[in-house]
C-alpha cells in the first residue's frame, strides 16, 4: 500500500546575501537531503537539537517554505510541482499546530471567527451549519461554544493551544504537523494536550508529524522516530526500537540525557565534545564526526548513507 505522504531527498538552502548588490555569498544548509514516508494513521516524531532543521522540514512539507530541491508527494501528487490553486486545495488536507500558543492566534479575532474564516475561504459549510461546526470543534478540544465569543487574551496558554488544535481540525485534514506543540506549556498541561491529540487521532483518523526536542513526549505519542542532526536524518526506527536499541552515537547521546524517574537506575551520561557545527559550512563526510566519541578515519572523508539495518531500523553511520 502506498504511503500517505512521501518525502524524497528534501533540501532547503537559504542564500546569504552580502554587499550593496546583495550578492549571494553562501548558503545556510538548513535541510540537506531528508527522506521518509508517513503511513495513514501513523505518528512520526522528528527530534534533534535546536537548529538541526526539523521545523524547516515541516514548513517545507506544507509549502510554507519553498524547497530548494526534492519531492513531497501526498496521495501520489507531487506538492512541489503544483500550481497555486492546487496548493490551496491541498491546504485542506495538511494543517499545522504552531509552537507558540500566544503569537499564533490573531488577537483581534474571536474564537468563532478564528475557526470559521478557514471554512469560509475554502467554501466549506454555510450559515448555521458553519456555526454548528465551530461549536462542535470547540467542544471536541475541551472548550464551550459560549467561549467562542471571546478573544485570545482571555484564555490561558493551555486553552490557546486547544484553540490551535481546533483550528487545525477546521478543514477536516488528513495530516497535522505539530511544531513543538507542547513545549511552551506547563508539564501538567502538556499531558492534557498530548492525550487530546491521541484521542482526536483515533476519532478523526489523522496522521501526525510531531516535531520536538523532548524525547519523553515523542516516546509517548509517536509510532516511529526520526533523529535529525545538522539537516540530515541519522537514525529512524520504531519508537521502542529507538529507545531500547539506539545505534547512532548521536541518538545514544540524546537518550543518555533523558532524566530517569528511578533513584536506583544507573545511567551513564554521554558528554559530547565541541560545539554544533555551523549549517553554513557543514563538516565533510559524516556531519557528526567532529563530536563523535567513536570517530573513525573514514568518517571525515565519506558521508555514510542511510541504511536499513534490520526491520525498518535505518541508520547513517560507518560503524554499521
Amino acid at each position: 500500500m502506498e504511503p500517505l505522504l512521501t518525502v524524497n531527498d528534501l533540501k532547503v538552502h537559504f542564500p546569504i546575501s552580502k554587499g550593496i548588490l546583495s550578492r549571494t555569498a553562501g548558503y545556510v544548509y538548513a535541510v540537506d537531503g531528508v527522506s521518509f514516508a508517513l503511513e495513514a494513521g501513523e505518528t512520526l516524531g522528528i527530534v534533534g537539537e535546536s537548529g538541526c532543521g526539523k521545523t524547516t522540514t515541516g514548513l517545507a512539507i506544507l509549502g510554507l517554505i519553498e524547497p530548494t530541491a526534492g519531492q513531497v508527494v501526498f496521495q501520489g501528487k507531487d506538492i512541489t510541482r503544483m500550481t497555486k490553486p492546487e496548493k490551496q486545495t491541498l491546504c485542506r488536507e495538511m494543517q499545522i499546530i504552531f509552537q507558540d500558543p500566544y503569537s499564533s492566534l490573531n488577537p483581534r479575532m474571536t474564537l468563532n471567527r478564528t475557526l470559521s474564516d478557514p471554512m469560509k475561504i475554502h467554501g466549506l459549510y454555510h450559515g448555521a451549519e458553519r456555526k454548528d461546526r465551530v461549536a462542535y470543534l470547540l467542544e471536541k478540544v475541551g472548550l464551550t461554544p459560549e467561549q467562542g465569543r471571546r478573544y485570545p487574551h482571555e484564555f490561558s496558554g493551555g486553552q490557546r493551544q486547544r484553540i490551535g488544535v481546533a483550528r487545525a481540525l477546521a478543514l477536516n485534514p488528513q495530516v497535522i504537523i505539530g511544531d513543538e506543540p507542547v513545549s511552551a506549556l506547563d508539564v501538567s498541561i502538556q499531558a492534557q494536550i498530548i492525550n487530546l491529540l491521541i484521542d482526536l487521532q483515533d476519532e478523526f483518523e489523522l496522521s501526525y508529524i510531531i516535531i520536538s526536542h523532548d524525547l519523553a513526549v515523542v516516546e509517548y505519542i509517536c509510532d516511529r522516530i526520526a533523529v535529525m542532526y545538522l539537516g540530515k536524518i541519522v537514525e529512524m526506527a520504531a519508537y521502542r526500537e529507538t529507545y531500547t536499541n539506539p545505534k547512532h552515537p548521536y541518538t545514544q547521546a540524546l537518550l543518555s540525557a533523558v532524566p530517569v524517574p528511578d533513584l536506583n537506575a544507573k545511567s551513564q551520561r554521554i558528554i559530547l565534545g565541541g560545539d554544533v557545527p555551523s549549517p553554513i559550512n557543514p563538516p565533510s563526510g559524516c556531519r557528526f564526526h567532529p563530536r563523535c566519541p567513536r570517530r573513525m578515519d573514514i568518517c571525515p572523508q565519506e558521508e555514510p548513507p542511510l541504511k536499513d539495518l534490520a526491520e525498518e531500523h535505518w541508520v547513517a553511520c560507518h560503524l554499521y
Side-chain angles (χ1 to χ4, degrees):
M1 188 175 178
E2 189 174 305
L4 179 65
L5 177 71
T6 304
V7 178
N8 295 319
D9 198 26
L10 184 68
K11 297 181 180 180
V12 182
H13 301 165
F14 298 108
I16 302 171
S17 300
K18 286 187 178 181
I20 299 174
L21 299 178
S22 297
R23 293 178 179 174
T24 301
Y27 292 90
V28 176
Y29 299 94
V31 179
D32 201 24
V34 166
S35 300
F36 62 83
L38 179 71
E39 303 291 340
E42 183 187 24
T43 301
L44 173 68
I46 302 179
V47 301
E49 294 170 302
S50 297
C52 71
K54 50 190 189 297
T55 295
T56 305
T57 299
L59 296 177
I61 291 171
L62 291 169
L64 297 177
I65 291 177
E66 195 69 29
T68 304
Q71 283 184 317
V72 179
V73 180
F74 178 76
Q75 291 185 325
K77 298 178 181 178
D78 188 353
I79 299 173
T80 56
R81 303 193 177 201
M82 285 183 173
T83 62
K84 284 188 177 181
E86 288 175 328
K87 284 185 178 181
Q88 184 173 1
T89 302
L90 186 72
C91 285
R92 296 185 228 169
E93 305 296 340
M94 294 198 294
Q95 291 291 307
I96 185 170
I97 301 170
F98 292 100
Q99 176 178 0
D100 188 357
Y102 292 89
S103 63
S104 61
L105 297 174
N106 189 330
R108 299 184 179 183
M109 293 171 61
T110 63
L111 264 61
N112 285 335
R113 189 177 169 192
T114 296
L115 299 182
S116 63
D117 272 10
M119 304 178 199
K120 183 177 180 181
I121 291 170
H122 288 271
L124 298 177
Y125 310 103
H126 301 280
E129 188 181 15
R130 188 178 296 162
K131 292 181 180 179
D132 291 342
R133 174 68 178 174
V134 170
Y136 170 77
L137 290 174
L138 289 173
E139 290 178 340
K140 280 296 172 186
V141 299
L143 300 174
T144 64
E146 291 74 23
Q147 290 176 303
R149 295 189 292 269
R150 298 183 183 177
Y151 290 86
H153 73 270
E154 300 178 75
F155 295 92
S156 66
Q159 288 175 317
R160 292 188 194 192
Q161 197 62 300
R162 289 177 184 272
I163 299 166
V165 173
R167 181 177 58 185
L169 292 171
L171 301 178
N172 294 315
Q174 294 189 55
V175 177
I176 291 180
I177 296 178
D179 181 17
E180 305 269 12
V182 297
S183 64
L185 307 176
D186 294 334
V187 175
S188 60
I189 306 301
Q190 286 183 9
Q192 294 176 18
I193 299 299
I194 292 170
N195 288 328
L196 173 64
L197 291 173
I198 293 173
D199 294 339
L200 292 174
Q201 182 176 31
D202 294 335
E203 183 171 349
F204 291 91
E205 298 180 348
L206 298 168
S207 300
Y208 289 144
I209 296 176
I210 302 297
I211 297 166
S212 179
H213 63 268
D214 191 333
L215 291 166
V217 169
V218 294
E219 181 185 16
Y220 185 71
I221 193 174
C222 295
D223 302 307
R224 282 190 303 143
I225 297 174
V227 181
M228 283 191 70
Y229 183 80
L230 212 63
K232 290 183 176 289
I233 290 178
V234 296
E235 185 164 2
M236 183 164 55
Y239 82 94
R240 194 176 299 278
E241 177 73 6
T242 302
Y243 280 82
T244 59
N245 188 27
K247 297 291 187 183
H248 199 282
Y250 177 62
T251 308
Q252 295 169 358
L254 286 180
L255 291 173
S256 75
V258 177
V260 179
D262 185 355
L263 294 176
N264 298 319
K266 294 182 179 180
S267 60
Q268 185 175 0
R269 177 74 188 274
I270 300 174
I271 306 296
L272 297 177
D275 298 322
V276 180
S278 170
I280 298 174
N281 186 25
S284 60
C286 174
R287 298 192 172 186
F288 185 60
H289 84 262
R291 306 173 69 198
C292 183
R294 304 174 70 183
R295 180 173 62 238
M296 300 182 295
D297 292 340
I298 192 177
C299 297
Q301 302 171 10
E302 187 177 328
E303 182 179 338
L306 193 64
K307 299 178 185 176
D308 188 3
L309 297 184
E311 299 180 357
E312 294 296 313
H313 192 150
W314 298 79
V315 181
C317 183
H318 289 301
L319 290 170
Y320 307 98

